[in-house]
Amino acid sequence: MFTRRDFLATATAAIGIHWAIQADAQAAFDPTPQEVRIKKEFEPGLLMILPRSYYLYLVTEPRKAIRYGCGVGKAGLEFTGSATIDVKKEWPTWRPTQEMIERDPRTYAKFVGNDYVQPGGPGNPLGARALYLFQNGVDTYFRIHGTTQPETIGQAASNGCIRMLNEHVIDLYARVPIGTRVNVL
């Protein structure tokens, strides 16, 4: 019989970290924020993102975290590594990177050959809030942000950013200060 201990051991080995999330092995993906238990060595205030499981964890106290569902970057476009949140914006403006425009000029046609920046608001792809990821004081151009495509939560569908439902990113935005450490594994 496949036990809970077997599940946790297998999951930990597969993702290469020592998370001990207490969840039902048969549970389907659920993006709803919920408190979960984790190993005690993760410090409060840390954000951990596990792209393979489509979850973001905010460590709230020793052995506890809030787990949110998220969407992640498509294969080859994903961000991995460590960063800090150096900028936070409500209803951020947005412009695709030059690489995004070059990869898909049809999708981003209104941005070709100009400096147009889409204003913030309900139709903006960054959604209601954005947390800007930096490494050594340099913008990575990766974000944790809301989305106008809620159906992509639980999928690898973005150009590299971490997407959350707008109501969830609003909650996370209120909980994390500038300087928060982020690890994307």
Side-chain angles (χ1 to χ4, degrees), residues 6 11 23 30 58 66 93 102 112 126 131 139 158 176:
D6 293 333
D30 181 2
L58 171 60
I66 299 172
T93 58
E102 289 169 6
V112 175
L126 293 186
L131 307 168
D139 191 352
S158 80
V176 298

Side-chain angles (χ1 to χ4, degrees), residues 121-144:
N124 186 300
L126 293 186
R129 304 289 183 273
L131 307 168
Y132 293 62
L133 303 182
F134 282 66
Q135 291 179 321
N136 301 314
V138 177
D139 191 352
T140 64
Y141 293 97
F142 290 98
R143 317 283 185 242
I144 299 170

Side-chain angles (χ1 to χ4, degrees), residues 11-52:
T12 299
I15 60 178
I17 64 168
H18 303 296
W19 279 96
I21 301 161
Q22 297 186 5
D24 181 347
Q26 303 303 316
F29 174 77
D30 181 2
T32 308
Q34 49 195 285
E35 191 173 279
V36 295
R37 292 184 52 79
I38 59 171
K39 283 195 170 183
K40 63 183 173 186
E41 59 264 18
F42 297 106
E43 296 177 21
L46 178 66
L47 273 179
M48 299 288 289
I49 301 163
L50 299 165
R52 288 183 191 96

